[in-house]
Amino acid sequence: QHYYSEKAPGLAMLASPIYATYRFLYFTLLPDSFIEKTAGTEEYLTYQVEQNNQVEFKTPFNPGFFILSSQLLLIGATSSLFSALTALLVYKILLHFGFSKKQSVLTTFLYALGTLAFPYASIFMNHATSTFFTFLSFYLLVKARGGKTQYMLPAGIVVGFAVTVDY
């Protein structure tokens, strides 16, 4: 059986080294008794999505500590981190365009907590990560104004990576 993702590969490329490192450390450093005790179960809740039973979803009843902790780690290291960095970029861009510190802080909080940035920061999805790389590219292009061409190539590379994260 083969599984194919409908998502762009950029987020998986970012998360794979983090997951591989965590998996190595988890199974190397922790005692076998802890790993066996917190392994979870092989039982799944299976339900059909379509009438003709073509699409089937399986959800584990108890995925175990390793799966749950790796999910939290990957969400924190990708979506949450990049959402926080995007908020920082919003603040810096606003200051660059002449907004006061008070206005910039207020607008940054409105962006971080009043838009879809907040819910997307709490799930493993590509939107928060691609938003960060797009904003970073815009920030580099703003800094490139006035003949500072050293920011042009990094801006192009960053926006290119943003496309690999989310088309």
Side-chain angles (χ1 to χ4, degrees), residues 92-103:
K92 290 183 71 76
I93 289 169
L94 290 170
L95 287 178
H96 182 80
F97 282 120
F99 287 83
S100 69
K101 285 187 178 185
K102 186 176 180 181
Q103 291 171 324

Side-chain angles (χ1 to χ4, degrees), residues 44-61:
Y44 289 94
L45 170 65
T46 304
Y47 54 96
Q48 307 295 330
V49 175
E50 293 185 7
Q51 296 286 339
N52 57 4
N53 296 334
Q54 288 182 352
V55 179
E56 179 178 272
F57 283 99
K58 291 185 176 184
T59 303
F61 281 123

Side-chain angles (χ1 to χ4, degrees), residues 46-98:
T46 304
Y47 54 96
Q48 307 295 330
V49 175
E50 293 185 7
Q51 296 286 339
N52 57 4
N53 296 334
Q54 288 182 352
V55 179
E56 179 178 272
F57 283 99
K58 291 185 176 184
T59 303
F61 281 123
N62 178 11
F65 181 76
F66 173 72
I67 298 292
L68 293 174
S69 61
S70 63
Q71 288 174 344
L72 289 174
L73 173 68
L74 292 176
I75 290 169
T78 56
S79 299
S80 299
L81 174 66
F82 288 122
S83 289
L85 292 173
T86 303
L88 180 64
L89 283 174
V90 167
Y91 176 76
K92 290 183 71 76
I93 289 169
L94 290 170
L95 287 178
H96 182 80
F97 282 120

